[in-house]
Amino acid sequence: MGKSSSLRAASISALLVSVLGGPVGVASAQSACTAGQTSVQFSFTGAIQTFTVPANVSSAVVHVKGAQGGAGALGGPSSVVGGTGGLGASASGTLAVTAGSTLNIFVGGQGATPIGGFNGGANGGSQNAGGGGGASDIRVGGVAAVNRVITAGGGGGGGRGGCEGSAGAAGVGGIGGAGGG
């Protein structure tokens, strides 16, 4: 089902967790950890991923980024390229964690035309519109939406090309929300 990761180190005092929405390469991990920190990064797989908090860790600095929305389809008599999907939001914070507990990681997937991305990306309004990008989030104490402790929304899908005026300009997708948690 999901990928399970465990990180073991006796001298870890804090943990840096990065959750990057798809596609790979849309975002990069936070810069190098400070002394006493260990970093782990999760990228899109299309399934839940888990992380077991190692011994001696009491806090996790987390960075999550929602996935980009999908591009709109070609359209109009001149085959105008569809609009680009909006970028996903990002959110950061520090979580109090308990050694041995499990963080449930959901990494949003990029939207397509007209299908929404993994983890809540909505389908486009028509067969020609880009689907929304999926949210990225971390859940503690379960896998239901109510267990989210930090979330970054996905970006909006792009509009079909050739729909606006004589120029046939495509609509560009909306940028994801500010996130929070």
PDB file of all heavy atoms in Angstrom, residues 123-150:
ATOM      1  N   ASN A 123     -11.601  17.729 -10.641  1.00  0.00           N
ATOM      2  CA  ASN A 123     -11.600  17.598 -12.093  1.00  0.00           C
ATOM      3  C   ASN A 123     -11.905  18.951 -12.729  1.00  0.00           C
ATOM      4  O   ASN A 123     -12.587  19.791 -12.129  1.00  0.00           O
ATOM      5  CB  ASN A 123     -12.641  16.575 -12.543  1.00  0.00           C
ATOM      6  CG  ASN A 123     -12.261  15.163 -12.166  1.00  0.00           C
ATOM      7  OD1 ASN A 123     -11.105  14.864 -11.909  1.00  0.00           O
ATOM      8  ND2 ASN A 123     -13.240  14.278 -12.131  1.00  0.00           N
ATOM      9  N   GLY A 124     -11.395  19.159 -13.955  1.00  0.00           N
ATOM     10  CA  GLY A 124     -11.687  20.382 -14.699  1.00  0.00           C
ATOM     11  C   GLY A 124     -13.176  20.474 -14.989  1.00  0.00           C
ATOM     12  O   GLY A 124     -13.893  19.466 -14.985  1.00  0.00           O
ATOM     13  N   GLY A 125     -13.660  21.692 -15.249  1.00  0.00           N
ATOM     14  CA  GLY A 125     -15.087  21.911 -15.475  1.00  0.00           C
ATOM     15  C   GLY A 125     -15.609  21.342 -16.770  1.00  0.00           C
ATOM     16  O   GLY A 125     -16.811  21.248 -16.973  1.00  0.00           O
ATOM     17  N   SER A 126     -14.741  20.961 -17.681  1.00  0.00           N
ATOM     18  CA  SER A 126     -15.137  20.333 -18.940  1.00  0.00           C
ATOM     19  C   SER A 126     -14.006  19.389 -19.351  1.00  0.00           C
ATOM     20  O   SER A 126     -12.952  19.356 -18.720  1.00  0.00           O
ATOM     21  CB  SER A 126     -15.345  21.383 -20.037  1.00  0.00           C
ATOM     22  OG  SER A 126     -14.101  21.896 -20.476  1.00  0.00           O
ATOM     23  N   GLN A 127     -14.223  18.656 -20.433  1.00  0.00           N
ATOM     24  CA  GLN A 127     -13.181  17.728 -20.885  1.00  0.00           C
ATOM     25  C   GLN A 127     -11.941  18.440 -21.388  1.00  0.00           C
ATOM     26  O   GLN A 127     -10.894  17.829 -21.590  1.00  0.00           O
ATOM     27  CB  GLN A 127     -13.731  16.815 -21.979  1.00  0.00           C
ATOM     28  CG  GLN A 127     -14.081  17.553 -23.264  1.00  0.00           C
ATOM     29  CD  GLN A 127     -14.661  16.618 -24.307  1.00  0.00           C
ATOM     30  OE1 GLN A 127     -14.959  15.473 -24.044  1.00  0.00           O
ATOM     31  NE2 GLN A 127     -14.827  17.135 -25.513  1.00  0.00           N
ATOM     32  N   ASN A 128     -12.008  19.759 -21.564  1.00  0.00           N
ATOM     33  CA  ASN A 128     -10.874  20.531 -22.082  1.00  0.00           C
ATOM     34  C   ASN A 128     -10.131  21.346 -21.023  1.00  0.00           C
ATOM     35  O   ASN A 128      -9.127  21.971 -21.317  1.00  0.00           O
ATOM     36  CB  ASN A 128     -11.350  21.490 -23.170  1.00  0.00           C
ATOM     37  CG  ASN A 128     -11.897  20.746 -24.361  1.00  0.00           C
ATOM     38  OD1 ASN A 128     -11.264  19.843 -24.884  1.00  0.00           O
ATOM     39  ND2 ASN A 128     -13.106  21.098 -24.779  1.00  0.00           N
ATOM     40  N   ALA A 129     -10.651  21.365 -19.814  1.00  0.00           N
ATOM     41  CA  ALA A 129     -10.035  22.176 -18.763  1.00  0.00           C
ATOM     42  C   ALA A 129      -9.068  21.336 -17.942  1.00  0.00           C
ATOM     43  O   ALA A 129      -9.274  20.140 -17.747  1.00  0.00           O
ATOM     44  CB  ALA A 129     -11.117  22.762 -17.855  1.00  0.00           C
ATOM     45  N   GLY A 130      -8.014  21.953 -17.454  1.00  0.00           N
ATOM     46  CA  GLY A 130      -7.056  21.253 -16.612  1.00  0.00           C
ATOM     47  C   GLY A 130      -7.651  20.957 -15.240  1.00  0.00           C
ATOM     48  O   GLY A 130      -8.393  21.762 -14.682  1.00  0.00           O
ATOM     49  N   GLY A 131      -7.327  19.802 -14.708  1.00  0.00           N
ATOM     50  CA  GLY A 131      -7.750  19.451 -13.351  1.00  0.00           C
ATOM     51  C   GLY A 131      -6.869  20.133 -12.327  1.00  0.00           C
ATOM     52  O   GLY A 131      -5.723  20.488 -12.597  1.00  0.00           O
ATOM     53  N   GLY A 132      -7.396  20.323 -11.134  1.00  0.00           N
ATOM     54  CA  GLY A 132      -6.636  20.948 -10.059  1.00  0.00           C
ATOM     55  C   GLY A 132      -5.564  20.027  -9.510  1.00  0.00           C
ATOM     56  O   GLY A 132      -5.683  18.797  -9.562  1.00  0.00           O
ATOM     57  N   GLY A 133      -4.513  20.602  -8.976  1.00  0.00           N
ATOM     58  CA  GLY A 133      -3.467  19.817  -8.327  1.00  0.00           C
ATOM     59  C   GLY A 133      -3.934  19.342  -6.962  1.00  0.00           C
ATOM     60  O   GLY A 133      -4.768  19.973  -6.320  1.00  0.00           O
ATOM     61  N   GLY A 134      -3.401  18.230  -6.516  1.00  0.00           N
ATOM     62  CA  GLY A 134      -3.755  17.689  -5.213  1.00  0.00           C
ATOM     63  C   GLY A 134      -3.026  18.401  -4.084  1.00  0.00           C
ATOM     64  O   GLY A 134      -1.934  18.925  -4.265  1.00  0.00           O
ATOM     65  N   ALA A 135      -3.653  18.409  -2.916  1.00  0.00           N
ATOM     66  CA  ALA A 135      -3.030  18.990  -1.727  1.00  0.00           C
ATOM     67  C   ALA A 135      -1.960  18.050  -1.194  1.00  0.00           C
ATOM     68  O   ALA A 135      -2.007  16.838  -1.413  1.00  0.00           O
ATOM     69  CB  ALA A 135      -4.088  19.220  -0.650  1.00  0.00           C
ATOM     70  N   SER A 136      -0.988  18.593  -0.485  1.00  0.00           N
ATOM     71  CA  SER A 136      -0.010  17.798   0.257  1.00  0.00           C
ATOM     72  C   SER A 136      -0.254  18.066   1.731  1.00  0.00           C
ATOM     73  O   SER A 136      -0.480  19.210   2.119  1.00  0.00           O
ATOM     74  CB  SER A 136       1.424  18.181  -0.121  1.00  0.00           C
ATOM     75  OG  SER A 136       1.710  17.816  -1.456  1.00  0.00           O
ATOM     76  N   ASP A 137      -0.247  17.014   2.538  1.00  0.00           N
ATOM     77  CA  ASP A 137      -0.491  17.216   3.959  1.00  0.00           C
ATOM     78  C   ASP A 137       0.165  16.135   4.792  1.00  0.00           C
ATOM     79  O   ASP A 137       0.596  15.107   4.272  1.00  0.00           O
ATOM     80  CB  ASP A 137      -1.989  17.291   4.253  1.00  0.00           C
ATOM     81  CG  ASP A 137      -2.745  16.008   3.976  1.00  0.00           C
ATOM     82  OD1 ASP A 137      -2.590  15.040   4.748  1.00  0.00           O
ATOM     83  OD2 ASP A 137      -3.522  15.968   2.996  1.00  0.00           O
ATOM     84  N   ILE A 138       0.238  16.404   6.094  1.00  0.00           N
ATOM     85  CA  ILE A 138       0.734  15.449   7.082  1.00  0.00           C
ATOM     86  C   ILE A 138      -0.400  15.231   8.072  1.00  0.00           C
ATOM     87  O   ILE A 138      -1.039  16.182   8.530  1.00  0.00           O
ATOM     88  CB  ILE A 138       1.995  15.974   7.798  1.00  0.00           C
ATOM     89  CG1 ILE A 138       3.118  16.195   6.780  1.00  0.00           C
ATOM     90  CG2 ILE A 138       2.430  15.008   8.905  1.00  0.00           C
ATOM     91  CD1 ILE A 138       4.377  16.832   7.354  1.00  0.00           C
ATOM     92  N   ARG A 139      -0.653  13.947   8.394  1.00  0.00           N
ATOM     93  CA  ARG A 139      -1.731  13.592   9.315  1.00  0.00           C
ATOM     94  C   ARG A 139      -1.150  12.804  10.492  1.00  0.00           C
ATOM     95  O   ARG A 139      -0.286  11.957  10.310  1.00  0.00           O
ATOM     96  CB  ARG A 139      -2.799  12.768   8.594  1.00  0.00           C
ATOM     97  CG  ARG A 139      -3.347  13.504   7.372  1.00  0.00           C
ATOM     98  CD  ARG A 139      -4.321  12.686   6.562  1.00  0.00           C
ATOM     99  NE  ARG A 139      -4.550  13.335   5.275  1.00  0.00           N
ATOM    100  CZ  ARG A 139      -5.528  13.025   4.444  1.00  0.00           C
ATOM    101  NH1 ARG A 139      -6.398  12.081   4.771  1.00  0.00           N
ATOM    102  NH2 ARG A 139      -5.644  13.667   3.295  1.00  0.00           N
ATOM    103  N   VAL A 140      -1.653  13.098  11.671  1.00  0.00           N
ATOM    104  CA  VAL A 140      -1.195  12.436  12.888  1.00  0.00           C
ATOM    105  C   VAL A 140      -2.410  11.831  13.592  1.00  0.00           C
ATOM    106  O   VAL A 140      -3.441  12.479  13.718  1.00  0.00           O
ATOM    107  CB  VAL A 140      -0.484  13.434  13.826  1.00  0.00           C
ATOM    108  CG1 VAL A 140      -0.081  12.770  15.132  1.00  0.00           C
ATOM    109  CG2 VAL A 140       0.736  14.042  13.140  1.00  0.00           C
ATOM    110  N   GLY A 141      -2.289  10.583  14.038  1.00  0.00           N
ATOM    111  CA  GLY A 141      -3.375   9.933  14.772  1.00  0.00           C
ATOM    112  C   GLY A 141      -4.398   9.256  13.898  1.00  0.00           C
ATOM    113  O   GLY A 141      -5.430   8.812  14.376  1.00  0.00           O
ATOM    114  N   GLY A 142      -4.160   9.166  12.603  1.00  0.00           N
ATOM    115  CA  GLY A 142      -5.070   8.523  11.667  1.00  0.00           C
ATOM    116  C   GLY A 142      -4.843   9.049  10.269  1.00  0.00           C
ATOM    117  O   GLY A 142      -3.993   9.909  10.040  1.00  0.00           O
ATOM    118  N   VAL A 143      -5.644   8.529   9.326  1.00  0.00           N
ATOM    119  CA  VAL A 143      -5.468   8.924   7.927  1.00  0.00           C
ATOM    120  C   VAL A 143      -6.648   9.721   7.380  1.00  0.00           C
ATOM    121  O   VAL A 143      -6.648  10.105   6.221  1.00  0.00           O
ATOM    122  CB  VAL A 143      -5.194   7.696   7.021  1.00  0.00           C
ATOM    123  CG1 VAL A 143      -3.882   7.032   7.404  1.00  0.00           C
ATOM    124  CG2 VAL A 143      -6.337   6.701   7.072  1.00  0.00           C
ATOM    125  N   ALA A 144      -7.647   9.998   8.209  1.00  0.00           N
ATOM    126  CA  ALA A 144      -8.800  10.780   7.770  1.00  0.00           C
ATOM    127  C   ALA A 144      -8.413  12.258   7.650  1.00  0.00           C
ATOM    128  O   ALA A 144      -7.456  12.728   8.264  1.00  0.00           O
ATOM    129  CB  ALA A 144      -9.948  10.624   8.761  1.00  0.00           C
ATOM    130  N   ALA A 145      -9.207  13.002   6.881  1.00  0.00           N
ATOM    131  CA  ALA A 145      -8.940  14.432   6.694  1.00  0.00           C
ATOM    132  C   ALA A 145      -8.909  15.186   8.017  1.00  0.00           C
ATOM    133  O   ALA A 145      -8.150  16.143   8.182  1.00  0.00           O
ATOM    134  CB  ALA A 145      -9.976  15.042   5.756  1.00  0.00           C
ATOM    135  N   VAL A 146      -9.683  14.756   8.989  1.00  0.00           N
ATOM    136  CA  VAL A 146      -9.723  15.419  10.289  1.00  0.00           C
ATOM    137  C   VAL A 146      -8.387  15.312  11.038  1.00  0.00           C
ATOM    138  O   VAL A 146      -8.122  16.080  11.952  1.00  0.00           O
ATOM    139  CB  VAL A 146     -10.897  14.860  11.140  1.00  0.00           C
ATOM    140  CG1 VAL A 146     -10.611  13.441  11.601  1.00  0.00           C
ATOM    141  CG2 VAL A 146     -11.194  15.774  12.303  1.00  0.00           C
ATOM    142  N   ASN A 147      -7.521  14.380  10.631  1.00  0.00           N
ATOM    143  CA  ASN A 147      -6.221  14.175  11.275  1.00  0.00           C
ATOM    144  C   ASN A 147      -5.113  15.035  10.685  1.00  0.00           C
ATOM    145  O   ASN A 147      -3.953  14.918  11.083  1.00  0.00           O
ATOM    146  CB  ASN A 147      -5.819  12.699  11.200  1.00  0.00           C
ATOM    147  CG  ASN A 147      -6.804  11.806  11.908  1.00  0.00           C
ATOM    148  OD1 ASN A 147      -7.542  11.061  11.279  1.00  0.00           O
ATOM    149  ND2 ASN A 147      -6.844  11.897  13.215  1.00  0.00           N
ATOM    150  N   ARG A 148      -5.445  15.930   9.745  1.00  0.00           N
ATOM    151  CA  ARG A 148      -4.432  16.803   9.141  1.00  0.00           C
ATOM    152  C   ARG A 148      -3.896  17.777  10.179  1.00  0.00           C
ATOM    153  O   ARG A 148      -4.653  18.405  10.909  1.00  0.00           O
ATOM    154  CB  ARG A 148      -5.031  17.601   7.986  1.00  0.00           C
ATOM    155  CG  ARG A 148      -5.355  16.771   6.774  1.00  0.00           C
ATOM    156  CD  ARG A 148      -6.009  17.616   5.706  1.00  0.00           C
ATOM    157  NE  ARG A 148      -6.111  16.858   4.466  1.00  0.00           N
ATOM    158  CZ  ARG A 148      -7.053  17.066   3.562  1.00  0.00           C
ATOM    159  NH1 ARG A 148      -7.967  18.005   3.749  1.00  0.00           N
ATOM    160  NH2 ARG A 148      -7.079  16.342   2.465  1.00  0.00           N
ATOM    161  N   VAL A 149      -2.563  17.912  10.210  1.00  0.00           N
ATOM    162  CA  VAL A 149      -1.939  18.890  11.104  1.00  0.00           C
ATOM    163  C   VAL A 149      -1.299  20.032  10.323  1.00  0.00           C
ATOM    164  O   VAL A 149      -1.016  21.089  10.885  1.00  0.00           O
ATOM    165  CB  VAL A 149      -0.918  18.231  12.066  1.00  0.00           C
ATOM    166  CG1 VAL A 149      -1.628  17.299  13.034  1.00  0.00           C
ATOM    167  CG2 VAL A 149       0.179  17.507  11.316  1.00  0.00           C
ATOM    168  N   ILE A 150      -1.050  19.829   9.028  1.00  0.00           N
ATOM    169  CA  ILE A 150      -0.572  20.894   8.138  1.00  0.00           C
ATOM    170  C   ILE A 150      -0.945  20.504   6.711  1.00  0.00           C
ATOM    171  O   ILE A 150      -0.868  19.331   6.343  1.00  0.00           O
ATOM    172  CB  ILE A 150       0.949  21.160   8.287  1.00  0.00           C
ATOM    173  CG1 ILE A 150       1.347  22.415   7.513  1.00  0.00           C
ATOM    174  CG2 ILE A 150       1.761  19.941   7.886  1.00  0.00           C
ATOM    175  CD1 ILE A 150       2.738  22.947   7.869  1.00  0.00           C
TER     176      ILE A 150
END
